Amino acid sequence: MGWFDGKKGLILGVANDRSIAWAVAQEVMAQGGLCGFTHLPDRPDDEKQKNRRRVAKCLENQPNARFLVPLDVQKDEDIAQLMHKTAEEFGKIDFLLHSIAFADREDLSRATIDTSRSGFHLAMDVSVYSLLAVARAARPLLNPGASILTMTYFGGEKCVPGYNVMGICKAALDACVRYLAFDLGSQAVRVNAISAGPLKTLAGSAAGVGEMQFLYEKIAPLQRNVTHEEVGRAGAFLLSSYSDGITGEILHVDAGYNIMGTPGRWLEELKGAAKPS
Ligand code: NAP
């Protein structure tokens, strides 16, 4: 008996086997869930179809992975086609994972004050508005009790220098979770987010994960970083009926880093280093 026996849903945001979406999907499928996947569309002149192939490689030998279709969340027609395919394959669905973010590298590396107007629009469109667009398009397919989950980061709650424009996006995404939870609550659909500690992924390296992992080891109560598997299991929990009383919540899976108000145990080391010799 698995948590997801008889359940079907969508996993958006697998780029490769290091993606957080893949960690969640593996847990869902191991528990019996059937999943539809998406990949970023390849350019028509890309004969190698790199984006599709990267995701397809993950899905090899996964009998519960039922389809793979292109999706650029900036395109309403792609979202409509995804839902059409989903209705055809699954009828109704029980879970939807949105694990998507993007900002121009130049904008990520600039001070927040220097974010370009076009870069701001792009980051907000892909990383925030897409949750509303996908939830709206999926709405007619969502069974009562269905669960939507997105991935956020602490940089939306507090200033994390270097996270810059993406921090603003995550603050807006967190607000979307609460407003969507209200809108969809009348249909018995839940909406939550996981705030994950830094993990090495494609998007993570663009956002400077290496330095953050150093800080987490020093400051987090558990004195370590979280793993893909830990985030995957928490994601599966929030997508499953085991969390059926929880909505509008941001669950931190970060070894406790977010509760700290000082560098904690690291402070003694810092004070020692600061003492004149
Ligand atoms: P990832 O593997 O790079 O996943 C990001 C996904 O977003 C990729 O599959 C990417 O597709 C997709 N994407 C980007 N633009 C898109 C578009 N226009 N349409 C459709 N899909 C698009 O990195 P990840 O770390 O797992 O990121 C997943 C989520 O977790 C993001 O929201 C991220 O902010 C969040 N998060 C990450 C960390 C971390 O430390 N890694 C921590 C907290 C939260 P392509 O790669 O094919 O472009």
Side-chain angles (χ1 to χ4, degrees):
M1 253 310 261
W3 299 8
F4 284 89
D5 282 346
K7 307 282 185 194
K8 301 166 215 157
L10 290 175
I11 302 286
L12 316 183
V14 176
N16 59 28
D17 63 358
R18 302 313 293 156
S19 295
I20 293 176
W22 183 239
V24 178
Q26 279 183 294
E27 196 61 38
V28 168
M29 292 192 293
Q31 294 292 337
L34 304 184
C35 299
F37 291 85
T38 62
H39 65 88
L40 204 63
D42 289 287
R43 287 202 324 265
D45 62 345
D46 179 3
E47 284 174 13
K48 292 195 171 150
Q49 299 278 293
K50 272 203 302 293
N51 294 336
R52 186 185 170 82
R53 280 174 50 174
R54 270 189 320 191
V55 186
K57 196 163 185 299
C58 296
L59 307 188
E60 278 169 11
N61 305 318
Q62 295 285 346
N64 286 6
R66 290 305 164 96
F67 61 86
L68 172 62
V69 293
L71 170 71
D72 178 347
V73 287
Q74 291 195 279
K75 295 190 173 144
D76 288 331
E77 59 274 24
D78 280 16
I79 297 176
Q81 275 171 21
L82 167 66
M83 296 309 161
H84 183 74
K85 176 76 175 170
T86 305
E88 234 174 47
E89 294 282 334
F90 289 157
K92 300 274 180 170
I93 57 171
D94 306 288
F95 57 88
L96 192 167
L97 175 67
H98 169 281
S99 184
I100 287 173
F102 184 78
D104 196 282
R105 262 182 196 263
E106 273 187 28
D107 277 306
L108 271 177
S109 57
R110 282 186 184 124
T112 309
I113 196 169
D114 293 323
T115 308
S116 66
R117 190 182 295 272
S118 62
F120 188 87
H121 287 167
L122 172 67
M124 288 291 274
D125 191 25
V126 175
S127 316
V128 186
Y129 183 76
S130 63
L131 177 64
L132 300 185
V134 166
R136 186 170 60 246
R139 190 175 196 172
L141 305 182
L142 295 168
N143 274 323
S147 173
I148 297 177
L149 176 67
T150 189
M151 300 302 309
T152 189
Y153 181 62
F154 184 58
E157 297 169 56
K158 300 285 179 196
C159 175
V160 176
Y163 203 57
N164 306 352
V165 64
M166 194 48 75
I168 297 173
C169 290
K170 293 305 190 191
L173 184 71
D174 294 356
C176 287
V177 166
R178 291 184 282 272
Y179 281 89
L180 274 178
F182 176 76
D183 284 355
L184 294 176
S186 58
Q187 178 179 335
V189 169
R190 301 179 297 110
V191 185
N192 292 291
I194 282 184
S195 178
L199 288 166
K200 286 192 177 130
T201 63
L202 286 179
S205 12
V209 140
E211 280 180 13
M212 293 312 297
Q213 286 194 324
F214 171 78
L215 280 179
Y216 276 61
E217 268 181 41
K218 294 287 188 188
I219 297 175
L222 294 182
Q223 297 184 287
R224 64 170 177 85
N225 282 284
V226 292
T227 64
H228 281 72
E229 290 73 20
E230 286 168 333
V231 176
R233 282 195 295 273
F237 163 71
L238 283 176
L239 287 177
S240 80
S241 57
Y242 278 91
S243 59
D244 55 10
I246 302 175
T247 195
E249 198 65 58
I250 315 288
L251 176 66
H252 294 85
V253 183
D254 65 352
Y257 182 90
N258 77 94
I259 67 162
M260 297 302 295
T262 75
R265 297 183 185 99
W266 195 26
L267 196 54
E268 288 310 310
E269 214 180 296
L270 292 173
K271 281 198 299 202
K275 271 193 195 134
S277 49

